[in-house]
């Protein structure tokens, strides 16, 4: 299994904003290693043709590199960094946004039909197969053939989804296409938390919205996200606080309150635990200016 052609194609078509002419296809090149940084996973299939990336999601540590791929069927807060890279050996990779409606359509045509199963982790790593690598390479080749993209890109994307659905982590992706899957209920609750991250909530109320008992909801949420609902909210609060501190480094207390913390001291403790420095010192590191 060779990644040489895919690496060459990705290297040629990478843009500063990581977008491409094929909808949902993104290409990135990272030349310098950096410290672990927080982000959201997105709902994607991610592949590296060179280099490696390590992600921490809750209590799980995931790593992918050439020979493997990552799938995320729910948008999760995570901390990640690239490894085994440098100016002469950058990380070069691609991400394809997963479309729930396209997955649902494939499931309808599967033989036998694929129905609801138990809750599974919402993010996972699997071994690359020759068939999947071939389909991914053909999709990126279409960037050299603009006249073929409108007709062929949807067909190749469909094949890629099928290869993933029938692969080792197909269950993770299958959940995304099922309207009544455990993941869909958890994802709905996770979206509510993201949109209201500064507001307090009761797990019982989220469970009722998801149509589950509190114990079942808590169990499914932790299985899918690797976090409890409160931990999920805390990760979002701290990520947003870090963004705000980059713009307002002198307003630590105001930032703490704006993301939902009543206690500035609790905010400082949890921030330091997450990022290794108190908020004011991290703001100095982020901005390059003393606070």
């Amino acid at each position: 299994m060779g990644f040489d052609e895919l690496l060459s194609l990705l290297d040629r078509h990478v843009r500063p904003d990581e977008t491409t002419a094929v909808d949902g296809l993104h290409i990135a090149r990272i030349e310098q290693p950096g410290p672990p940084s927080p982000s959201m996973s997105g709902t994607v299939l991610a592949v590296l043709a060179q280099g490696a990336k390590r992600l921490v999601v809750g209590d799980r540590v995931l790593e992918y590199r050439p020979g493997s791929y990552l799938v995320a069927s729910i948008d999760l807060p995570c901390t990640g960094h690239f490894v085994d890279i440098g100016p002469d050996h950058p990380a070069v990779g691609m991400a394809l946004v997963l479309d729930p409606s396209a997955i649902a359509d494939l499931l309808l045509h599967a033989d036998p039909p694929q129905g609801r199963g138990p809750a599974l982790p919402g993010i996972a790593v699997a071994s690359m197969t020759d068939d999947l690598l071939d389909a991914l390479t053909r999709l990126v080749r279409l960037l050299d053939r603009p006249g073929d993209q409108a007709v062929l890109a949807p067909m190749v994307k469909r094949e890629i989804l099928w290869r993933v659905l029938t692969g080792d982590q197909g269950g993770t992706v299958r959940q995304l296409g099922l309207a009544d899957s455990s993941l869909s209920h958890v994802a709905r609750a996770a979206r509510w938390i993201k949109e209201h991250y500064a507001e307090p909530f009761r797990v019982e109320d989220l469970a009722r919205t998801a149509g589950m008992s509190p114990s079942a909801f808590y169990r499914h949420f932790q299985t899918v996200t690797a976090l409890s609902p409160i931990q999920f909210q805390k990760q979002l609060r701290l990520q947003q606080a870090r963004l705000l501190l980059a713009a307002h480094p002198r307003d630590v207390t105001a930032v703490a309150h704006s993301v939902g913390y009543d206690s500035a001291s609790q905010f400082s403790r949890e921030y330091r635990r997450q990022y290794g420095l108190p908020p004011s010192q991290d703001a100095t590191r982020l901005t390059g200016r003393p606070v």
Side-chain angles (χ1 to χ4, degrees), residues 94-110:
M94 60 182 287
L96 183 63
V97 176
L98 298 175
D99 179 4
S101 62
I103 294 168
D105 184 64
L106 277 173
L107 293 177
L108 287 174
H109 291 86

Side-chain angles (χ1 to χ4, degrees), residues 238-251:
L238 293 174
Q239 286 191 11
Q240 182 64 18
R242 201 167 195 236
L243 290 173
L244 292 172
L245 282 171
H248 307 286
R250 299 180 187 278
D251 297 331

Side-chain angles (χ1 to χ4, degrees), residues 1 9 12 16 21 34 65 74 81 94-95 98 117 159 166 168 175 225 230 232 236 240-241 246 248 252 260 269:
M1 184 187 305
L9 287 165
R12 187 162 70 251
R65 59 180 64 235
I74 185 171
H81 65 293
M94 60 182 287
L98 298 175
E159 179 184 348
T166 56
D168 292 341
Q175 299 175 102
T225 69
I230 298 300
F232 188 92
L236 295 172
Q240 182 64 18
H248 307 286
V252 173
R269 284 195 305 273

